[in-house]
Amino acid sequence: MGEKTGFLTVLLPILLNTFTSQVNSSKILTVSTEIQQLVTAEGGVTDKVKKAVDKLESQGYHIEFTDSNGNPVTGKVDVGKEVVINYEFNGFETSNSTIIMKR
């Protein structure tokens, strides 16, 4: 019986930590896809995008928009330009980009 208790006291925290990490990484990847699609549909960082980002920042996300040269993007972008989106959430970081195809 002691072996089972010792095994569970070692294994349970590891499994819980793995599950929590999986949930957090899944959340940030889902948000990154949704924001990328929103920026593409809106043609840049519009008021609709800013409202969505503000809502996500209240949940612990940090999202930044830059162009391909690293300059901040704060409005609509010309057709053919790239918008790079950087995300941070609970120690996880990722980024993606989109090319604006229409206005």
Side-chain angles (χ1 to χ4, degrees):
M1 187 66 170
E3 295 87 9
K4 290 180 185 178
T5 304
F7 181 70
L8 287 177
T9 56
V10 170
L11 186 62
L12 192 60
I14 293 171
L15 290 176
L16 188 59
N17 186 29
T18 303
F19 176 75
T20 304
S21 295
Q22 174 63 30
V23 168
N24 286 336
S25 64
S26 176
K27 282 182 179 181
I28 195 168
L29 291 176
T30 301
V31 165
S32 70
T33 302
E34 291 175 358
I35 294 295
Q36 178 188 22
Q37 291 174 351
L38 184 60
V39 169
T40 302
E42 291 291 313
V45 183
T46 61
D47 289 337
K48 189 174 184 179
V49 174
K50 290 176 186 175
K51 286 179 185 177
V53 168
D54 289 342
K55 183 177 179 183
L56 289 169
E57 284 185 349
S58 69
Q59 298 173 7
Y61 293 89
H62 180 70
I63 302 172
E64 293 179 345
F65 302 96
T66 59
D67 62 10
S68 56
N69 296 326
N71 301 318
V73 174
T74 57
K76 287 213 173 214
V77 178
D78 294 332
V79 175
K81 298 293 181 178
E82 181 181 28
V83 177
V84 179
I85 312 164
N86 298 307
Y87 309 87
E88 185 179 332
F89 177 69
N90 285 345
F92 290 93
E93 294 181 11
T94 189
S95 67
N96 57 13
S97 64
T98 184
I99 297 177
I100 305 302
M101 301 301 287
K102 63 179 183 176
R103 272 271 190 182

